[in-house]
Structure formats: C-alpha cells, structure tokens
C-alpha cells in the first residue's frame, strides 16, 4: 500500500464492491456527514470506472474511481455478495488492485459482509473481527485465521474495525466519530440520524432463534439476562445457576460460544457499561462503579486502566459531554 497524506477534513472513502448492499453503502455518508463536513470529507468510489450493481436490483453510477482510495484516511467496505471473497476466499484481480491503492496509514472499516473482503485480503489474520451472525459459520470455514466474534455489534482492533450486519454499521460509525471527536459530536450525529448514540448488548440478541430452553445447552439467554443486571452481585456460580447448568458445564459451553471465560466476559461487559455511564451521565466515579457492578472506584480504575490504559476521570474528560462532570 502506498503512503499518502491529505490536508483538511479527515477523508473517508467508501469502496462499493459489486453487488454491494445498498443499506450498508449509505450508512457511512449519513453518519459521518451528520458529524460535520468540516470534520469528514466523504466519498464513494468503485473498484473500477464501471457502474456498481446493488443487491436491491439497481445500478449506481459513482463519481469516483479507485484512485480516490489513494488519498483516503479511512476506507469503509460495506457488505457485498461478491463471489470471490464470499464463497471462495479469494480476491478478484480488480478488487486486489483497488485495495493495493489504500495508503499504509489508512484506517480500515467493514460493515456486515464487507469483512469477507478484508479477510480475503489477509488483513484480518490474527485479529479479532465480526460480521453478520448469519454468515459466521461460512466465514470461519473460509478464514480460520481470523478471531471471529459474532456476538458483538462491532470490533475495534485499532487500525482495523469491523461491524456486524446492517444497522450495526451505524453503531460502528458512531463509535468512530466518538473516538475521533468525543461523545458530544457523536451524540449530535446520532440525534440527527434519529438513532441511539449507543446500544448495549451484542448482536446475539438479534439472532433468528427463540430464547433457548433450559436444556438446550446454550448460554445466550443467561448472557442477555446478565447484561440487564450488571449492577447486581453476579458471579460465575450465579450465572451457571440461571442457566440451570453445573458450573463445569456452564463454563465450558460459555467459552465455546463466546471465546471468553464467564468471569472475563462479565468484567468486559461491566467495563463497557462503566464507559457508557462515564460518557453520558454525571454520576460520581463511585456510583458508576456500583452501577456497573465493579464495586468500588478503585476497582473501576484498575479494570479501566487494564482495558484501555486510562483512569475514569481521564476517560470522562476526553469523551463525556460538557455537563457530565465527576462530583
């Protein structure tokens, strides 16, 4: 990938791969556009100069060709049904050539099955990533080197970010705006788009299946229940009892489904909830710790520092809205 630098607003280039999903394609321009044209310069380009086909049954003529990728600060790949990455684990030559134009410094994002394109290019090997839950099994078969987690709405792995299906692309784009410019700008963009600035939980709550029976062997219902009760005194025996499993069986099945131990997952969710409270409320740090189930401010400081390397007060100063101050 060539190096490039673009003065002015951060340039976001959306790469519309043939058979692109129109819903995914229009999320980034809407969200980044709502954050302000002084902050983001958003462009849509194709793999070549030809019109791009959309899965909705129409064709779009784009203003930009693949040369737009050469000046990108962020590249977004929306969902697509393009056959090479989706079914065979390979990149068509034209798509590989387009991706080679992306500067080394550029941030990479995918929405829904756009992750198949990044994976086919080898850009997700050894990284955590996600995609639409309905395509997780196929993704694992094609790309076993990727650490796939289909239970989350999005994964931020630093320079490479992936989201689950469809509307989760909105969650990811708002997260990036928040990361770039703080919660005030992200919340304002969310209000304009008439969407919540943050959604708790993961995409497991949207999977097309009924809540499991106690004997079904899944921990999904217990995970959803735990997310609604993070402020309570939850521990692994309590979760196992809710799932009506032995502690050993529950722990084994939980790790098989999530890739984490129950304790690690619970801490992760509590830290995430604490971050949300620090961003959006004026609760004291002690109260945030209690509401998130982390007990004390000292415990919150320890876990937040371990997760992202900052203290609660430093995090709040960076990301909270102006009215949200620690008392």
């Amino acid at each position: 990938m060539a190096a490039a630098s673009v003065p002015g607003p951060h340039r976001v280039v959306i790469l519309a791969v043939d058979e692109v999903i129109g819903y995914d394609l229009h999320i980034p321009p809407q969200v980044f556009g709502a954050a302000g044209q002084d902050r983001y310069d958003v462009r849509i380009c194709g793999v070549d100069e030809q019109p791009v086909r959309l899965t909705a049954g129409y064709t779009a003529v784009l203003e930009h060709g693949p040369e737009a990728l050469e000046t990108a600060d962020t590249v977004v790949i929306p969902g697509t049904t393009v056959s090479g990455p989706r079914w065979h684990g390979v990149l068509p030559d034209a798509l590989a050539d387009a991706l080679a134009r992306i500067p080394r410094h550029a941030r990479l994002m995918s929405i829904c099955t756009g992750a198949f394109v990044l994976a086919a290019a080898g850009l997700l090997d050894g990284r955590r990533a996600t995609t639409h839950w309905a395509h997780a099994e196929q993704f694992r078969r094609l790309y076993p080197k990727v650490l796939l987690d289909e239970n989350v709405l999005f994964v931020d792995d630093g320079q490479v970010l992936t989201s689950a299906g469809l509307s989760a692309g909105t969650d990811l784009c708002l997260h990036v705006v928040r990361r770039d410019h703080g919660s005030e700008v992200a919340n304002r963009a969310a209000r304009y788009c008439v969407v919540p600035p943050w959604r708790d939980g993961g995409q497991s709550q949207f999977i097309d299946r009924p809540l499991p029976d106690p004997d079904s062997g899944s921990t999904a219902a217990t995970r959803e229940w735990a997310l609604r009760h993070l402020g309570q005194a939850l521990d692994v025996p309590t979760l196992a009892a809710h799932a009506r499993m032995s502690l050993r069986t529950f722990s084994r099945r939980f790790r098989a489904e999530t890739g984490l131990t129950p304790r690690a997952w619970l801490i992760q969710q509590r830290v995430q909830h604490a971050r949300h409270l620090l961003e959006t409320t004026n609760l004291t740090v002690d109260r945030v710790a209690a509401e998130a189930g982390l007990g004390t401010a000292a415990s919150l400081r320890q876990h937040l520092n371990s997760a992202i390397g900052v203290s609660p007060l430093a995090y709040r100063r960076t990301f909270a809205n102006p009215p949200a101050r620690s008392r």
Side-chain angles (χ1 to χ4, degrees), residues 142-164:
L142 291 173
Y143 308 110
K145 294 181 181 180
V146 182
L147 307 178
L148 186 70
D149 182 357
E150 71 270 33
N151 294 306
V152 296
L153 293 175
F154 60 83
V155 171
D156 181 341
D157 196 40
Q159 191 180 4
V160 182
L161 303 93
T162 54
S163 82

Side-chain angles (χ1 to χ4, degrees), residues 125-143:
D125 287 355
R127 292 182 178 270
R128 286 187 65 239
T130 193
T131 190
H132 195 296
W133 62 264
H135 306 296
E137 184 177 348
Q138 177 190 5
F139 188 97
R140 283 195 173 91
R141 285 199 304 268
L142 291 173
Y143 308 110

